[in-house]
Amino acid sequence: MLYTGKSILDVANENNFAIPAFNISDWAMFKGIMDISEEKAAPVIIAIHPDEVAHITTDLIPAMHARAHRSSVPVAIHWDHGGTYEQMIMAIQAGFTSVMIDASLQPFEENVALTRKVVEAAHAAGVQVEGELGTIGANDSYGESGAAEIIYTNTADAVRFVEETGVDSLAIAIGTSHGLYPANKNPELRHDLLEEIKAAVGIPLVLHGGSSNPDAELARAVSLGVNKINISSDIKVSYHNRMREILGTDERLREPNAIQPEPLEAMKVTAAEKIDLFGAAGKASLY
């Protein structure tokens, strides 16, 4: 059940739940996320950002299409945090069904112009577009295109941005940061701002930097209109921490079938928690 970003998110918007966008960086992670999504009967967005694309290459996308087509749940394959028009064209040609153009660090007018250009090309190819307005923080070197400080999305700017670009969904800055939060930093979401923006624009809203946020904050964000939440660090930590433990038990271990099953199960536990938290479990029946 391969879907575009808009068609999969419109159902979430109409039914007030959020679809997890899980960032994967190898085939095993992709397979594990697909398996747990099917077990939970939950729609899923497979997100891949440029660093991950460089690692797995776009050659893997046709295989993802094949897996999605025989899946029992809706699946969108999403290019996360695209930085240039040329990159977005490459993503469309490679078979991504949804793309994000992130020009949030550029001046407003430049962000609008680039996003509108991407929307025109993507819509012509039947691919949907996510834009970003405001800047999401970065907690560590793995924070994709995050700014040092959060610049909250302005509601009036959001209305104008959506009208002038024609984006299908909008990533907003309401207090999240990419990466894992250090011990001395506590995430705090501006739910009042979220509610204001949702009422003003109406389209599906996206929350980036969803790892490490308290469950109650994320659940409230979903209830107020967030329809897509990106999860990367949390599932990767679960996956690789368990892998380190497995590898530490026997230095002779070398076969993936002996190493990866338990790390994948650990990742699936974390992913299942997010699916439940976002209200996505069982929602495949709505499509």
Side-chain angles (χ1 to χ4, degrees):
M1 298 172 68
L2 187 62
Y3 279 73
T4 65
K6 179 175 172 58
S7 63
I8 201 170
L9 286 176
D10 282 350
V11 176
N13 192 21
E14 292 162 4
N15 292 276
N16 203 35
F17 68 94
I19 301 174
F22 292 115
N23 279 86
I24 61 94
S25 50
D26 63 35
W27 177 258
M29 288 186 71
F30 168 70
K31 183 177 180 299
I33 291 298
M34 289 298 301
D35 288 347
I36 191 61
S37 297
E38 290 176 334
E39 289 174 28
K40 303 290 290 184
V44 64
I45 296 171
I46 302 298
I48 314 173
H49 65 63
D51 289 346
E52 293 162 337
V53 174
H55 178 63
I56 65 174
T57 78
T58 57
D59 293 337
L60 205 58
I61 304 305
M64 291 182 175
H65 275 233
R67 178 69 177 86
H69 279 306
R70 66 174 185 269
S71 176
S72 61
V73 301
V75 184
I77 302 174
H78 176 76
W79 184 298
D80 190 27
H81 286 285
T84 66
Y85 176 77
E86 292 74 18
Q87 198 176 68
M88 297 294 86
I89 296 300
M90 182 178 73
I92 294 166
Q93 292 174 337
F96 285 80
T97 63
S98 174
V99 298
M100 178 197 185
I101 179 65
D102 180 4
S104 60
L105 298 182
Q106 304 302 317
F108 181 84
E109 296 296 345
E110 293 180 25
N111 187 355
V112 166
L114 177 55
T115 303
R116 182 169 56 230
K117 186 178 179 181
V118 170
V119 167
E120 290 171 355
H123 282 185
V127 171
Q128 309 307 311
V129 181
E130 174 186 332
E132 183 170 324
L133 190 61
T135 62
I136 295 161
N139 287 310
D140 53 36
S141 61
Y142 293 107
E144 316 118 33
S145 69
E149 296 296 331
I150 297 167
I151 300 176
Y152 291 94
T153 303
N154 176 275
T155 302
D157 286 346
V159 172
R160 183 181 162 203
F161 185 84
V162 170
E163 289 176 348
E164 294 188 14
T165 63
V167 289
D168 304 292
S169 59
L170 180 65
I172 59 173
I174 59 169
T176 55
S177 292
H178 288 123
L180 295 175
Y181 284 85
N184 63 348
K185 183 178 180 181
N186 294 316
E188 186 174 351
L189 301 187
R190 284 278 311 278
H191 290 118
D192 59 326
L193 180 58
L194 164 60
E195 193 169 15
E196 184 179 291
I197 294 170
K198 185 69 174 190
V201 301
I203 67 171
L205 296 181
V206 179
L207 200 61
H208 285 254
S211 293
S212 297
N213 287 85
D215 286 355
E217 283 202 343
L218 292 179
R220 178 151 175 72
V222 172
S223 73
L224 294 175
V226 167
N227 301 119
K228 171 178 174 280
I229 300 179
N230 286 36
I231 298 294
S232 179
S233 298
D234 280 351
I235 58 169
K236 288 173 180 172
V237 167
S238 296
Y239 180 54
H240 289 113
N241 280 355
R242 185 65 184 128
M243 190 176 292
R244 290 184 186 97
E245 294 170 356
I246 296 294
L247 289 170
T249 63
D250 186 349
E251 63 183 18
R252 296 170 299 175
L253 282 174
R254 62 180 182 274
E255 295 297 332
N257 282 345
I259 298 168
Q260 289 184 307
E262 289 190 36
L264 286 172
E265 287 303 313
M267 180 195 73
K268 286 169 64 177
V269 168
T270 300
E273 292 170 353
K274 302 300 182 182
I275 290 168
D276 289 338
L277 180 63
F278 302 165
K283 295 301 194 298
S285 62
L286 296 174
Y287 292 80

